[in-house]
Amino acid sequence: MNGYVIAVDAMGGDNAPRAIIEGCRRAVRKFPDVSILLCGPKAMILPMLGQEERIEILEAPDVIGMHEHPMLAVRKKTESSLVKAMLAVREGRAGAVVSAGSTGAILAGGILRVGRIPGIERPALAPIIPGANKPFLLIDCGANVDCQAKYLLQFGLMGSVYMQSVMGVQVPQVGLCNIGTEAEKGDRLTKEAYGLFSEQKIFSFAGNAEVRDVPTGDFDVVVCDGFVGNVLLKTIEGTAKLMMGNLRTYVRSSLRTKIGALLLKPALYRLKADLDYKRHGGAPLLGVNGAVVKAHGSSDGEAIENAIRQARLMLEGRVVEKIREGLKEDEEHVL
């Protein structure tokens, strides 16, 4: 296989394997430099796939279910589609992994089967979130509930590298999620992290990001521990769902609002597109020795295609290598 080789977990997600296969087909047709190593049971996949250039099936008869214990499953189910995809990266057969499977299993597989970048103590999940001014990266959003200040510093480095290399932001502005903008605000963790962020020279620290300003502010990266990040992410998701639901109710409430909705239809479609997770594909798992993308569990073919595109951009942008370089630049503060 030539170009960028991406291992895809064919059996991960609510719509596997059909949606995964569709997404792989779309990706190889769109990106001529991408080859897919599709991991799963060949007898199930081949009739759906047929003959497709640059897609090779890697036999993986077992599956890790959404409700299995992640660590135990990754350790024991060595023939599962997810573990096979992770091992393909570790063995050098692929440069990246895409899976819509269990978040816990992907985290465990990234750490146990792909391995951490030397010097990175805690890999982190980092989804792209639509904002009022621009999209931003939220890191961490659930991988590390209990953190130390040096972990948050590493999250800032990894998030900055990703936004620069994949999203094309020339000088990413990194904010530290806090209850206020003042340096003295926050708990012990955020105060200590603020000091480390202020001293380092490897990324642009823009100060504390007050929670209410996160979706509307000018930060490209918002750093927090996994507990805060997960609460923030789900609050944003829930609020967006509430607002869209209420909007539909109000639009249908009278003839006048229905007429107004027809005039607003193009703008409403743009709003819906901005909030659609399919556009970004998934959340990268940063800090492991390969490009790992966690796609949404309900991903369809379009979302899987975009997750593969995201993995390709991580390889093209040399995200893993640049994180290593960033660690070397300022070992005193990062390690």
Side-chain angles (χ1 to χ4, degrees):
M1 286 185 165
N2 299 318
Y4 301 112
V5 182
I6 299 171
V8 178
D9 173 12
M11 304 308 293
D14 302 336
N15 302 313
R18 191 171 298 277
I20 314 301
I21 294 168
E22 180 194 342
C24 290
R25 274 206 190 104
R26 293 171 60 132
V28 294
R29 291 171 185 173
K30 188 168 186 177
F31 306 112
D33 56 357
V34 166
S35 298
I36 303 291
L37 200 57
L38 192 54
C39 305
K42 191 170 185 177
M44 182 184 296
I45 294 170
L46 192 56
M48 299 183 195
L49 178 65
Q51 296 298 317
E52 189 75 49
E53 290 186 7
R54 289 180 284 116
I55 298 181
E56 175 187 331
I57 301 173
L58 178 61
E59 177 64 21
D62 213 344
V63 177
I64 293 178
M66 297 297 286
H67 302 294
E68 293 187 61
H69 188 284
M71 282 289 183
L72 290 177
V74 166
R75 289 181 188 278
K76 292 183 176 180
K77 290 192 169 182
T78 56
E79 294 297 308
S80 64
S81 55
L82 176 60
V83 171
K84 284 279 194 175
M86 296 285 185
L87 289 175
V89 172
R90 184 164 190 159
E91 294 162 2
R93 297 183 61 183
V97 174
V98 170
S99 176
S102 158
T103 300
I106 291 168
L107 290 171
I111 294 168
L112 296 177
R113 298 302 184 181
V114 177
R116 291 176 294 161
I117 295 171
I120 293 293
E121 299 197 36
R122 294 290 189 276
L125 276 171
I128 295 287
I129 310 294
N133 297 322
K134 54 187 174 181
F136 63 93
L137 188 84
L138 179 64
I139 182 169
D140 177 31
C141 74
N144 305 280
V145 174
D146 297 307
C147 284
Q148 297 178 28
K150 61 181 177 179
Y151 303 166
L152 300 188
L153 184 61
Q154 292 184 353
F155 297 168
L157 161 65
M158 295 190 294
S160 179
V161 166
Y162 184 88
M163 290 301 285
Q164 187 174 55
S165 302
V166 175
M167 300 298 289
V169 180
Q170 190 171 2
V171 183
Q173 298 301 300
V174 179
L176 179 64
C177 189
N178 207 336
I179 59 172
T181 57
E182 301 89 346
E184 65 273 10
K185 284 287 182 74
D187 57 10
R188 184 188 303 173
L189 173 64
T190 50
K191 287 178 183 177
E192 186 179 347
Y194 190 97
L196 294 180
F197 278 49
S198 300
E199 294 171 6
Q200 58 77 41
K201 305 296 182 185
I202 52 179
F203 58 81
S204 179
F205 178 45
N208 284 329
E210 194 164 4
V211 175
R212 68 183 176 192
D213 296 327
V214 165
T216 58
D218 293 321
F219 300 100
D220 299 293
V221 179
V222 175
V223 176
C224 51
D225 64 62
F227 182 88
V228 170
N230 198 264
V231 170
L232 181 56
L233 175 65
K234 289 175 179 175
T235 301
I236 291 171
E237 289 176 343
T239 302
K241 186 176 180 181
L242 172 67
M243 295 298 290
M244 293 302 291
N246 284 351
L247 183 60
R248 280 193 294 269
T249 300
Y250 299 151
V251 161
R252 296 167 182 167
S253 64
S254 71
L255 179 60
R256 179 181 294 180
T257 55
K258 288 177 182 177
I259 293 171
L262 287 173
L263 298 174
L264 286 170
K265 197 171 183 180
L268 293 175
Y269 273 127
R270 287 199 298 272
L271 175 61
K272 184 180 179 182
D274 287 343
L275 297 174
D276 191 355
Y277 71 88
K278 296 176 188 176
R279 295 181 64 193
H280 296 294
L285 176 61
L286 300 176
V288 294
N289 248 326
V292 176
V293 176
K294 164 66 177 88
H296 199 283
S298 59
S299 291
D300 60 9
E302 180 188 356
I304 294 298
E305 176 198 335
N306 281 323
I308 292 169
R309 173 187 56 80
Q310 191 176 1
R312 178 193 173 279
L313 286 172
M314 289 181 71
L315 295 174
E316 184 180 50
R318 298 177 56 251
V319 169
V320 172
E321 291 85 349
K322 287 179 181 178
I323 290 173
R324 288 199 197 103
E325 291 165 8
L327 288 170
K328 290 177 182 177
E329 283 181 31
D330 205 339
E331 289 187 352
E332 178 182 350
H333 298 303
V334 178
L335 295 179

